Amino acid sequence: MESATDTALTFRDATDADVDALVALIESAYRGDSSRVGWTTEADLLRGQRTDPEGVREVVKSPDSRLLTVEREGRIVACCQLEHRGAYAYFGMFAVSPALQGAGLGRTIIAEAERRARETWGVDEMHMTVISLREDLIAWYERRGYRRTGKMTPFPYGDERFGIPQRADLQFELLVKELTGPSQRDVPVTR
């Protein structure tokens, strides 16, 4: 069986032409029944949208941000946001096609995102926020070197651009990783 990392990946910055495909990818990874194919679903915590074209376009156009788009065989299979925030980079909007989750693709993408943040902006930390109830997802990030900080920020209740909460106890926890250590293993990547 061929794994998701056996075929070379192409990493590039998203353009306006990618917005609709990226919104569909992000929605499929987190919301609705299609997200249940993978393990990153938030369908039991949130209904409604995860993002929208305006939100994705904003990231694409921001001078301090990039939406790293990942293709395999000419098809968008994943993405992540990298945003330069002074001494650190913020990692967000991470989505892998549900059908490809669990095969190592996410691990490859996060390693490449960390490498690019170090090389492009010279940052020594990557920050991200994760819904604190997502213990399985947080554990996955911890295996990649991220640490829980215990610093919480409230979920934006009432702002349906981020979804319709199905629980009253949602909040985000800040996870941090030092990027000054040795580089991750090399992966087949075309640039």
Side-chain angles (χ1 to χ4, degrees):
M1 181 175 145
E2 180 181 20
S3 79
T5 56
D6 287 344
T7 304
L9 302 173
T10 302
F11 291 81
R12 64 176 176 80
D13 289 343
T15 67
D16 281 342
D18 298 317
V19 169
D20 290 341
L22 289 168
V23 169
L25 170 69
I26 294 164
E27 293 298 312
S28 75
Y30 290 97
R31 297 290 197 277
D33 289 336
S34 66
S35 69
R36 295 180 192 280
V37 172
W39 67 276
T40 60
T41 185
E42 296 171 345
D44 294 329
L45 300 175
L46 295 153
R47 287 187 300 115
Q49 69 180 34
R50 176 72 153 51
T51 191
D52 55 31
E54 293 75 29
V56 171
R57 196 169 286 108
E58 192 175 296
V59 173
V60 169
K61 294 206 175 288
S62 172
D64 293 325
S65 193
R66 64 194 318 176
L67 190 54
L68 194 59
T69 301
V70 184
E71 293 180 329
R72 188 171 103 192
E73 298 175 350
R75 190 174 61 98
I76 295 175
V77 295
C79 67
C80 65
Q81 172 191 9
L82 293 171
E83 184 176 327
H84 186 210
R85 295 185 179 177
Y88 68 91
Y90 179 79
F91 179 83
M93 215 177 275
F94 187 28
V96 174
S97 174
L100 299 176
Q101 291 177 15
L105 191 57
R107 190 173 27 249
T108 300
I109 294 163
I110 200 168
E112 178 65 8
E114 292 165 357
R115 184 192 71 75
R116 286 179 182 232
R118 272 193 314 265
E119 288 184 6
T120 303
W121 297 312
V123 296
D124 57 6
E125 282 187 348
M126 185 81 87
H127 291 200
M128 71 173 70
T129 55
V130 178
I131 294 174
S132 63
L133 298 174
R134 297 291 318 277
E135 293 292 336
D136 55 343
L137 186 58
I138 291 170
W140 187 87
Y141 285 122
E142 286 177 315
R143 291 191 298 274
R144 271 124 227 97
Y146 288 81
R147 64 178 170 75
R148 297 180 88 155
T149 65
K151 294 179 184 171
M152 303 292 180
T153 54
F155 185 85
Y157 284 91
D159 188 343
E160 290 189 10
R161 290 178 304 156
F162 300 100
I164 302 166
Q166 301 303 291
R167 299 176 57 136
D169 59 348
L170 299 182
Q171 59 185 346
F172 295 105
E173 182 171 1
L174 175 66
L175 305 182
V176 175
K177 180 178 181 177
E178 302 290 327
L179 299 180
T180 54
S183 296
Q184 305 265 337
R185 67 179 178 82
D186 291 330
V187 294
V189 173
T190 57
R191 293 184 179 84

